[in-house]
Amino acid sequence: MSHINEKKEEPGFGQSGFLQPDENGPTDAQDRRYSTTSVHGRRMSRIGPPRKSSLNITDDAGSGDEYNRLVEMEANDAIKYRTCSWQKTAALLFSEYICLAIMSFPYSYSILGLVPGIILTVVQAAFVLYTSLIVWEFCLRHPEVRDVCDIGQMLFWNSQIAWYFTAVMFLLNNTFIQGLHVLVISRYLNTMTNHSVCTVGFAAIGAVISWVCSMPRTFNTLSKLAAASAVFTFISVILAAAFAGAEGKHGTAGYNPDPNFINEAGQNIGGEPLVLVVPMAGTTFVSGMNAFLNIAYTFIGQITLPSFIAEMKNPYDFRKALWLVTICEIIVFSLVGGIVYGYTGTQYNTAPAFGSLGNDVYKKVSFSFMIPTLIFLGVLYASVSARFLFFRIFEGTRHKTSHTVVGWLAWAGILAATWIMAFIIAEVIPFFADLLSLMSSLFDSFFGWIFWGTAYIRMRYADLGPRFWTKRGIRGWIGFLVNIFIILVGFFFLGAGTYASVDSIILDYEAGNVKGVFTCADNSL
């Protein structure tokens, strides 16, 4: 293992190797992380105030000395990582957020009601934008941060336990997302071929194709695929909304003019599609919470942001990409969710909403444009997981930055392991909406809320000291209270959200809505 600028003779370093406080205030050395790299995380300094030499959030020019040094360090490497422009980073963000989960919005609106659903969409987007800016500020303060696991360790007082906990949650989150995409690929193939192959076989095909597409080693390369993925997804969801309008309310899948119609599951589903402005009387906490978690899952993606920022040529431009993507998200999510729900109603809604289209051609055409995203988004998360493991195994060796046989075999092997786990998850939890809700409650509670409220408090404490919220007037109080609220929301997600998700899964099994695990049964839309 290599050492990164470990100089105990530098001011501020104690014998333990951690940075020590200086009575004259923090120095540039004290604000920087110098540590020993290992496969299980790195020893890091405390969170310090912004360095004047490298953190000037309002000035993009001449303020990236530390980043320039890191870029120069890999100038002679065959594989260069810090190469993404803000436009390419925006493409990665678009591919992450403009995704299949958009087609769960009509379902969420059918449970929550149209007005509360759209309000929650905008509010969720605002909170994600705010916490993403906190992530960005944290990464600017600590340029050596490579992923959310480094941040997790720093937030919780350099605890190795925090690093391991974050690492496990990080890998599980990413693998669950891969599993979701394996599941939907199997549904797509069954839909298009009229179930010509056992569903397990289709899932395996999806996992293998995704593994092959995961091979590029840098985000710079993946950004080209990301841009295409986002464009095709946008076409897909717009077509779905247009087709829903073209076939009208009476063309919705499963439409029955008899309001007293009872389906095979014993549910009263019939009559004109019912569009609700507010939730239907009798809506349960479990169903409402799951609907909201579906919305939250689609927006929350902060877990990947540190990895993206770490590979930017100029991380100060990240804010541009973030604002652009957030504005587009609000417009697309609200319009597609509202339009499709307006035509399919509460009774005939499915997740994903392609299944609500009654015309088989419409369904297959709009769903087909989603294929690049079905593959690429899983690929993106697989790549994030693989580089997390790969960098720690091969840090300081030529296998990380050169085209070696060992490096490429290890990269392919790590990716294969993640896709095998994703395949297993897809077969064990073979339902779309509940899987989204479970992932949102278990992982987004930390990576969407708790971490970033804590990061704000730790950074402001480093800037202003104890009782920091009293030292900036009303702005300080508002910031403190908002971030306490963000932390509490995260714990609510973790507790109540997980309960609602698990209870919904149990109810689905009891109702016979789940065809079984590792089954050949048809799961087409």
Side-chain angles (χ1 to χ4, degrees), residues 192-216:
M192 297 302 293
T193 65
N194 297 318
H195 188 47
S196 62
V197 174
C198 174
T199 296
V200 175
F202 276 142
I205 291 171
V208 171
I209 292 173
S210 299
W211 172 69
V212 172
C213 293
S214 303
M215 288 302 169

Side-chain angles (χ1 to χ4, degrees), residues 37-197:
T37 304
S38 69
V39 294
H40 52 75
R42 296 179 287 178
R43 300 177 71 190
M44 294 173 280
S45 72
R46 61 180 172 78
I47 297 173
R51 300 195 302 275
K52 293 182 180 179
S53 62
S54 63
L55 177 56
N56 184 353
I57 296 176
T58 61
D59 180 12
D60 291 348
S63 58
D65 297 341
E66 181 69 13
Y67 285 97
N68 291 335
R69 183 184 69 82
L70 293 171
V71 170
E72 289 171 2
M73 286 176 62
E74 61 178 25
N76 297 321
D77 294 338
I79 301 175
K80 298 177 177 63
Y81 293 98
R82 297 178 184 272
T83 54
C84 268
S85 64
W86 78 265
Q87 293 91 342
K88 291 180 178 179
T89 303
L92 292 170
L93 291 174
F94 270 114
S95 70
E96 181 180 4
Y97 291 114
I98 307 298
C99 63
L100 176 67
I102 297 173
M103 298 310 289
S104 70
F105 273 66
Y107 158 78
S108 294
Y109 291 176
S110 73
I111 302 296
L112 298 170
L114 190 58
V115 171
I118 292 177
I119 290 174
L120 286 173
T121 298
V122 176
V123 170
Q124 182 66 56
F127 271 110
V128 170
L129 174 64
Y130 176 72
T131 52
S132 296
L133 290 171
I134 293 175
V135 180
W136 175 58
E137 181 185 347
F138 194 99
C139 291
L140 290 180
R141 288 174 182 243
H142 299 278
E144 298 88 347
V145 162
R146 296 179 298 195
D147 47 53
V148 75
C149 300
D150 284 349
I151 294 178
Q153 182 174 345
M154 295 185 74
L155 287 182
F156 300 101
W157 297 275
N158 209 23
S159 168
Q160 285 287 311
I161 294 175
W163 187 90
Y164 282 114
F165 174 79
T166 307
V168 170
M169 296 290 283
F170 174 72
L171 292 173
L172 283 175
N173 175 81
N174 295 353
T175 308
F176 263 71
I177 292 175
Q178 292 174 243
L180 175 67
H181 284 263
V182 170
L183 168 64
V184 181
I185 288 172
S186 73
R187 297 192 72 178
Y188 170 78
L189 293 174
N190 268 320
T191 300
M192 297 302 293
T193 65
N194 297 318
H195 188 47
S196 62
V197 174

Side-chain angles (χ1 to χ4, degrees), residues 385-405:
S385 294
R387 72 202 329 104
F388 164 74
L389 296 170
F390 185 83
F391 285 179
R392 279 161 176 78
I393 294 171
F394 293 108
E395 184 66 46
T397 72
R398 64 191 181 92
H399 304 300
K400 175 185 173 184
T401 57
S402 300
H403 296 289
T404 65
V405 173

Side-chain angles (χ1 to χ4, degrees), residues 99 230 254 262 355 369 469 514:
C99 63
I262 307 295
F369 276 95
W469 56 89
V514 181

